Amino acid sequence: MNTWIKKILISRAGYGIMLSRIAIGIIFVAHGSQKLFGAFGGDGLSETAMFLESLGISSSFFMAILVGSTEFFGGLALIIGLLVRPAALALVIAMLVAIFSVHINNGLFLSNNGYEYALALLAVSLMILIEGAGRWSFDRYITQEYLK
């Protein structure tokens, strides 16, 4: 039994974490879809890249792909409960970057494009990173069936 893999996948968390991970996963998939595909009224890759460039972020097209993919595929991982901790870690990093590069100077409140919403996403992502996938997840199934 590989203890390193077990530490990543194992979770003793219950249904509350599972519900939080699925809900936050849906939100991240939607936001990633906006950035990558222009879905749900989003800007798509080229507009996202131009926005990142306006912030002074170099390699803006690559970074737009990176942030969109992190949100989209990280959200999918949360929804299905597979490799939840690595996905949550990537999403924590994405939210920290969003807070400190986009929202921090606007204050807390969302009405002023502040960091309120990104902070909530960060907090839930951190909770999932700490607690694991919870019930009804592939991570839990793998640890119970194959890593006993």
Side-chain angles (χ1 to χ4, degrees):
M1 177 180 341
N2 189 330
T3 57
W4 186 79
I5 292 174
K6 192 171 183 178
K7 284 181 183 180
I8 290 174
L9 299 180
I10 198 163
S11 173
R12 292 181 189 11
Y15 294 107
I17 295 292
M18 179 199 70
L19 293 172
S20 296
R21 124 178 109 72
I22 291 170
I24 207 81
I26 291 168
I27 292 168
F28 276 119
V29 166
H31 280 270
S33 296
Q34 287 180 313
K35 291 173 180 74
L36 290 175
F37 316 119
F40 309 112
D43 293 330
L45 274 176
S46 59
E47 293 291 324
T48 301
M50 285 194 302
F51 173 71
L52 294 174
E53 193 172 312
S54 75
L55 296 173
I57 296 174
S58 59
S59 304
S60 58
F61 192 76
F62 171 75
M63 295 305 284
I65 292 171
L66 183 63
V67 71
S69 295
T70 299
E71 290 180 1
F72 183 79
F73 292 109
L76 281 178
L78 295 184
I79 291 168
I80 65 174
L82 181 62
L83 299 173
V84 165
R85 282 194 171 102
L89 177 60
L91 293 167
V92 163
I93 293 167
M95 290 303 95
L96 285 170
V97 170
I99 289 169
F100 289 107
S101 66
V102 178
H103 301 289
I104 196 73
N105 293 328
N106 300 323
L108 174 67
F109 296 105
L110 189 60
S111 59
N112 297 325
N113 196 29
Y115 57 90
E116 169 181 33
Y117 185 63
L119 182 62
L121 294 175
L122 170 66
V124 175
S125 297
L126 273 171
M127 177 185 66
I128 294 167
L129 176 63
I130 293 165
E131 296 296 326
R135 305 271 180 185
W136 295 348
S137 68
F138 283 106
D139 286 357
R140 187 177 180 96
Y141 176 77
I142 291 167
T143 57
Q144 288 180 343
E145 293 298 317
Y146 298 105
L147 299 177
K148 292 179 182 177

